[in-house]
């Protein structure tokens, strides 16, 4: 049986209370201090079933999440890009006992629709009561698969699945007690939340600050996505010889980007892994030009009609709906629609059949972007594609066909920014006389991609509207 996440952290709290545990922009705490905060917060959560947390890169967010997980209380992981309707949907499905965030996020939560957001320190109690305890089957996390678009799709992970995932991290990645793990991404991204918690289970120092602060402070590891790796290269803070390992997820990372990061972090082993919220770890690769990914131990793959199906002990439980938790693994197998080729436990990914792209580590569905555009009077047709971006991986770009009384540029952007979360706002809009189509009459996405490639290399273009950059 695998040791649960918070039991692993508790061992370091007991054995090394004076050792540094977490650093954020405002200060730092030792393992002993962190343990006291977690205990007081868990006591304040006594009797709760679920807590919703909008985490930022701060100690308080990790205290809130760890306290709930230690008590067997499910954590509803909110995201800063949720629209008010999406937020309402999440709360109606999860019914948390409290909505927690740092005080500087309360205004954002109220705009989303939260009536009484509070913070972890406000529910802490000095008199420690008997608190609940987690077991293997306890609900650990309810997250939002895309974090950006459409109807919220809530995935459920239990304590056992994350414990088994931690086992793979321990055997595959080289993080030791006393190491310094930089997790510069916002903790509402599960990759960075997992990275911070993983570092604590290893007795490491978790540094939540941006890369320009965390890497020069002796970081040995960097949890990253290609966007942050690009920021490291562009920042000019290298070379940083202390970094031994980069642990990256999200969109496939091109060799050119890996090479540039290797110059900034000359001693780092660059590891990129493939997985999903529903699947956890699937495969990983190392190096600048690694080729296919090696399956993690205990992961089985079947390719059915070119689609990757996964079986392991790390899979999620299912999606939370009005009818309960549904659409989980079938006979132990699960797919998220990625296509691939498997040979001798080496997995080559070929993309996804569904209309989705990954922008800066966030899934962006394309169909709702088209819906938002065609809802504008004067736009009769629209199509959306993903185009390459050196920093973001992929970004959405759209073509439109206008009818009578077309909208102004300002009207288009006002509507899109009102209706779409910021990661889904396209970077480019082109006006065409008609959409290119295949001989069967379907929108020709390949031709649209070629049009954008031409536009990006041309010195100037007409009928082109470029948005403000996403951040």
């Amino acid at each position: 049986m695998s040791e649960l996440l918070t039991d692993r952290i508790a061992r370091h709290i007991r054995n090394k209370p004076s050792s540094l545990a977490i650093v954020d922009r405002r200060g730092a705490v030792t393992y002993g201090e962190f343990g006291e905060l977690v205990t007081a917060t868990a006591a304040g959560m006594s009797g709760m079933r679920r807590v919703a947390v909008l985490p930022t890169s701060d100690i308080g967010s990790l205290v809130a999440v760890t306290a709930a997980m230690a008590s067997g209380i499910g954590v509803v992981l909110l995201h800063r890009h949720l629209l008010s309707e999406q937020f309402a949907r999440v709360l109606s499905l999860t019914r948390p006992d409290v909505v927690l965030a740092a005080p500087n996020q309360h205004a954002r939560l109220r705009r989303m629709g939260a009536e009484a957001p509070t913070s972890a320190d406000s529910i802490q109690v000095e008199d420690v009561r008997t608190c609940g305890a987690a077991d293997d089957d306890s609900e650990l996390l309810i997250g939002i698969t895309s974090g950006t678009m459409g109807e919220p799709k809530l995935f459920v992970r239990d304590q056992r699945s994350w414990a088994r995932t931690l086992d793979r991290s321990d055997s595959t990645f080289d993080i030791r007690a006393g190491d310094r793990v930089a997790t510069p991404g916002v903790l509402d991204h599960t990759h960075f939340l997992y990275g911070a918690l993983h570092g604590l289970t290893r007795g490491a120092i978790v540094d939540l600050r941006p890369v320009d602060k965390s890497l020069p402070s002796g970081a040995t590891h960097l949890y990253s996505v290609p966007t942050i790796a690009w920021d490291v290269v562009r920042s000019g803070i290298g070379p940083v010889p202390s970094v031994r390992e980069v642990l990256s997820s999200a969109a496939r990372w091109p060799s050119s980007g890996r090479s540039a990061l290797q110059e900034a972090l000359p001693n780092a082993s660059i590891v990129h892994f493939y997985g999903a919220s529903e699947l956890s770890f699937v495969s990983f690769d190392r190096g600048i030009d690694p080729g296919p990914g090696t399956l993690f131990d205990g992961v089985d793959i079947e390719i059915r009609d070119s689609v990757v199906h996964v079986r392991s002990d790390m899979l999620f439980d299912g999606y939370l709906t009005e009818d309960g938790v549904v659409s989980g693994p079938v006979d132990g197998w699960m797919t998220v629609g990625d296509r691939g080729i498997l040979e001798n436990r080496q997995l080559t990914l070929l993309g996804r059949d569904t209309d989705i792209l990954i922008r800066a580590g966030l899934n962006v569905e394309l169909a709702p972007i088209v819906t938002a555009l065609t809802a504008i009077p004067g736009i009769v047709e629209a199509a959306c594609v993903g185009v390459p971006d050196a920093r973001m991986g992929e970004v959405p770009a759209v073509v439109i066909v206008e009818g009578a009384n077309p909208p102004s540029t300002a009207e288009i952007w006002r509507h899109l920014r009102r209706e779409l979360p910021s990661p889904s706002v396209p970077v480019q809009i082109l006006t065409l006389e008609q959409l290119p189509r295949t001989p069967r009459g379907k929108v020709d996405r390949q031709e649209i991609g070629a049009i954008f490639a031409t536009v990006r290399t041309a010195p100037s273009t007409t009928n082109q509207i470029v948005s403000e950059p996403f951040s």
Side-chain angles (χ1 to χ4, degrees):
M1 181 180 296
S2 299
E3 189 177 25
L4 298 186
L5 184 153
T6 52
D7 291 337
R8 302 175 194 225
I9 298 174
R11 185 172 66 252
H12 298 295
I13 291 172
R14 291 191 304 270
N15 295 339
K16 45 183 293 184
S18 60
S19 296
L20 188 60
I22 309 170
V23 179
D24 68 11
R25 294 171 187 256
R26 296 187 175 183
V29 293
T30 65
Y31 272 91
E33 292 166 338
F34 180 66
E36 291 174 358
L37 292 170
V38 167
T39 299
T41 305
M45 293 178 178
S46 180
M48 295 183 184
R49 177 171 170 259
R50 286 181 182 141
V51 298
V53 182
L54 178 63
T56 49
S57 297
D58 68 302
I59 293 167
S61 293
L62 282 179
V63 168
V65 168
T66 305
M69 291 178 172
S71 304
I73 298 169
V75 174
V76 181
L77 188 66
L78 301 174
H79 200 283
R80 63 194 183 280
H81 294 302
L82 285 173
L83 300 175
S84 57
E85 315 88 71
Q86 297 172 327
F87 179 78
R89 175 71 171 162
V90 170
L91 293 195
S92 71
L93 286 174
T94 60
R95 299 187 181 279
D97 294 279
V98 67
V99 178
L100 299 175
N104 63 3
Q105 295 299 307
H106 289 184
R108 181 194 296 269
L109 281 168
R110 290 191 183 95
R111 288 194 298 272
M112 288 181 179
E115 294 181 359
T118 187
S119 53
D121 56 5
S122 68
I123 65 170
Q124 293 169 0
V125 296
E126 295 182 4
D127 55 324
V128 177
R129 317 166 205 157
T130 301
C131 300
D135 59 34
D136 281 5
D137 297 317
S138 297
E139 179 182 278
L140 178 104
L141 184 75
I142 299 177
I144 305 166
T145 51
S146 69
T148 60
M149 286 300 314
E151 192 74 12
K153 198 171 184 181
L154 305 179
F155 67 89
V156 180
R157 297 285 299 271
D158 63 17
Q159 293 269 353
R160 180 187 293 107
S161 70
W162 263 39
R164 301 287 169 78
T165 302
L166 288 166
D167 290 342
R168 287 2 183 260
S169 293
D170 292 350
S171 62
T172 308
F173 311 138
D174 179 31
I175 298 180
R176 314 164 195 163
D179 281 343
R180 196 175 188 107
V181 179
T183 56
V186 182
L187 299 181
D188 61 359
H189 193 307
T190 52
H191 174 61
F192 294 106
L193 177 62
Y194 178 84
L197 292 170
H198 176 217
L200 292 174
T201 68
R202 301 298 288 168
I205 302 165
V206 174
D207 197 328
L208 303 174
R209 297 175 299 170
V211 288
D212 62 334
K213 301 294 183 184
S214 58
L215 291 188
S217 297
T220 59
H221 293 75
L222 171 65
Y223 264 85
S224 182
V225 293
T227 306
I228 286 179
W230 177 259
D231 290 345
V232 172
V233 172
R234 294 282 296 271
S235 69
I237 61 176
V240 181
S242 62
V243 178
R244 299 198 311 269
E245 212 166 29
V246 175
L247 307 177
S248 177
S249 73
R252 183 70 176 173
W253 197 3
S255 295
S256 58
R258 298 187 191 211
S259 297
L261 184 65
Q262 190 76 79
E263 292 185 15
L265 309 176
N267 297 324
S269 173
I270 297 177
V271 185
H272 188 82
F273 47 88
Y274 159 65
S277 301
E278 299 92 338
L279 306 176
S280 192
F281 291 147
V282 177
S283 64
F284 69 96
D285 57 58
R286 292 181 185 270
I288 294 174
D289 190 15
T294 300
L295 299 188
F296 280 88
D297 290 342
V299 173
D300 295 320
I301 294 290
E302 285 186 358
I303 306 297
R304 306 174 188 173
D305 296 326
S306 81
V307 176
V308 177
H309 288 71
V310 179
R311 181 176 64 185
S312 79
D313 55 4
M314 298 180 282
L315 302 185
F316 81 144
D317 293 339
Y319 300 108
L320 181 64
T321 69
E322 294 91 341
D323 299 320
V325 178
V326 302
S327 302
V330 177
D331 297 328
W333 293 90
M334 182 69 195
T335 182
V336 293
D338 290 313
R339 296 178 297 114
I341 299 171
L342 181 69
E343 186 174 0
N344 298 324
R345 294 188 62 80
Q346 299 292 305
L347 179 64
T348 301
L349 293 169
L350 303 175
R352 184 171 289 191
D353 284 332
T354 55
D355 292 333
I356 194 168
L357 61 85
I358 302 176
R359 181 181 190 175
L362 297 173
N363 289 353
V364 174
E365 298 173 20
L366 304 187
I369 302 174
V370 173
T371 299
L373 280 163
T374 54
I376 302 173
I379 294 180
V380 296
E381 283 190 301
C384 184
V385 298
V387 297
D389 182 88
R391 181 171 181 267
M392 298 289 178
E394 272 190 303
V395 291
V398 299
V399 291
I400 61 174
V401 176
E402 297 177 336
N405 301 314
S408 68
T409 299
E411 288 172 331
I412 293 174
W413 289 123
R414 277 198 301 269
H415 180 82
L416 292 180
R417 291 177 181 132
R418 182 173 65 249
E419 297 297 322
L420 299 173
S422 57
S424 301
V425 175
V427 300
Q428 217 169 12
I429 301 175
L430 295 179
T431 301
L432 303 179
E433 291 186 3
Q434 60 183 10
L435 296 184
R437 296 187 179 275
T438 66
R440 289 182 148 187
K442 294 185 178 182
V443 173
D444 192 336
R445 297 183 184 277
Q446 185 173 356
E447 176 63 24
I448 293 172
I451 291 172
F452 278 112
T454 301
V455 167
R456 291 196 304 275
T457 57
S460 62
T461 59
T462 59
N463 296 328
Q464 179 182 168
I465 310 170
V466 181
S467 76
E468 295 176 2
F470 159 77
S471 60

